[in-house]
Amino acid sequence: MERVLMLMLEAVGCAAEAQINGMPVAALAAGGGRVCVAVHEYLLSGRNQLGLAIGASVAPGPEVPQPRIATSAVWARARLLLVRQGHSPVDERARELAVLDWSAAEGSAYETPALRHSEVELPVAFQRWRWLDAPPIGLNPAVQRQVLEFVQQLALEFGRGNPEPWLVAARLRFEELALAYQRPVAEAVQRFREHLQALHVAKALKIVPPTADDLVLRPLVDGRLIDCVTPLGAPVLRTQNDAPLANHAWPIRLAMVEGKIYVLR
């Protein structure tokens, strides 16, 4: 693969989230900053939707807009870039395929959440990802309990350095990521297994199984996937290591088919 499609999100003075086809792919906290991620696994052949959300909550359901005053200039920008393999997204040779901007001048009034969308046609030949055809998930108490128990069990197994339950639940995810980036799936699986086991040896897998209060089930793509996050929007499956050990997090975006959970992203 000579070129990689990447999403660059930049923001100043506001929390921002970039989305592709309804899937969150990058986020920045209220302090702003910059983040770049490869996004092949979220893109479709032909028409794609790029989204930018300012100050949005991860809680399901509609939000009541809140008025704000910009005490200084605030802005956010999402850019879809085609980058040569091994080069930086900020390289001037990176090709900009789409851009989405939002801003509020100093002293001006605005509301959050603020949402922007645009469409871009991409001449790519990705397969039809499975999440497009997953059935909508009804978030009833039984489903909420099942997902919580699933995440709690993963947390326990990760803490023991055991990747196998994850590799089973996320088999389709590994397969599609391998297709998206033209890599052997067996190599990706083995790399993940070795990485988790290395963290365990280094005693860098301090994971506390979440409670119901820790877990927000965020519907994505018309409810076909559920994003398992904390109330602040971070992946709920994450380490809480003591310094100086680094922390790690594993997003869980799951589908449910006939009562069985599949991690697709």
Side-chain angles (χ1 to χ4, degrees), residues 17-25 42 57-58 60 131-132 134-137 139 217-229 251-255 265:
E17 179 182 81
Q19 304 167 357
I20 291 179
N21 296 317
M23 297 272 273
V25 298
Y42 306 107
S57 168
V58 299
W131 54 264
L132 292 166
I137 303 170
L139 286 180
L217 302 184
R218 182 187 183 187
L220 303 177
V221 291
D222 299 323
R224 295 191 297 276
L225 290 184
I226 297 298
D227 198 5
C228 300
V229 296
I252 301 176
R253 289 157 180 186
L254 58 85
R265 287 296 179 270

Side-chain angles (χ1 to χ4, degrees), residues 21-74:
N21 296 317
M23 297 272 273
V25 298
L28 293 168
R34 174 192 287 168
V35 62
C36 299
V37 292
V39 291
H40 288 209
E41 66 268 36
Y42 306 107
L43 292 169
L44 312 176
S45 300
R47 181 172 297 179
N48 289 261
Q49 185 184 78
L50 181 63
L52 184 61
I54 310 301
S57 168
V58 299
E63 292 186 65
V64 178
Q66 299 295 324
R68 297 181 182 273
I69 298 292
T71 56
S72 60
V74 295

Side-chain angles (χ1 to χ4, degrees), residues 4-10 18-21 25 35-44 46-51 77-83 89 94-101 118-124 126 181:
V4 180
L5 288 153
M6 301 193 73
L7 190 287
M8 178 187 292
L9 175 64
E10 301 172 282
Q19 304 167 357
I20 291 179
N21 296 317
V25 298
V35 62
C36 299
V37 292
V39 291
H40 288 209
E41 66 268 36
Y42 306 107
L43 292 169
L44 312 176
R47 181 172 297 179
N48 289 261
Q49 185 184 78
L50 181 63
R77 176 180 298 124
R79 301 169 65 206
L80 185 61
L81 303 167
L82 185 62
V83 182
R95 180 183 171 191
E96 184 177 275
L97 303 178
V99 61
L100 199 53
D101 284 297
S118 68
E119 292 188 344
V120 56
E121 289 279 343
L122 296 177
V124 295
F126 292 123
Y181 296 100

Side-chain angles (χ1 to χ4, degrees), residues 160-222:
R160 296 167 179 158
N162 179 17
E164 301 309 319
W166 172 264
L167 295 177
V168 172
R171 179 180 61 84
L172 300 178
R173 175 183 181 274
F174 278 100
E175 289 178 0
E176 293 197 330
L177 287 177
L179 286 169
Y181 296 100
Q182 299 176 21
R183 298 169 182 165
V185 64
E187 287 184 11
V189 168
Q190 186 59 24
R191 188 162 51 247
F192 182 88
R193 181 181 284 117
E194 291 173 355
H195 173 65
L196 194 74
Q197 291 170 347
L199 290 177
H200 185 253
V201 170
K203 300 187 184 305
L205 281 176
K206 182 180 178 181
I207 302 178
V208 178
T211 66
D213 291 337
D214 302 321
L215 177 62
V216 174
L217 302 184
R218 182 187 183 187
L220 303 177
V221 291
D222 299 323

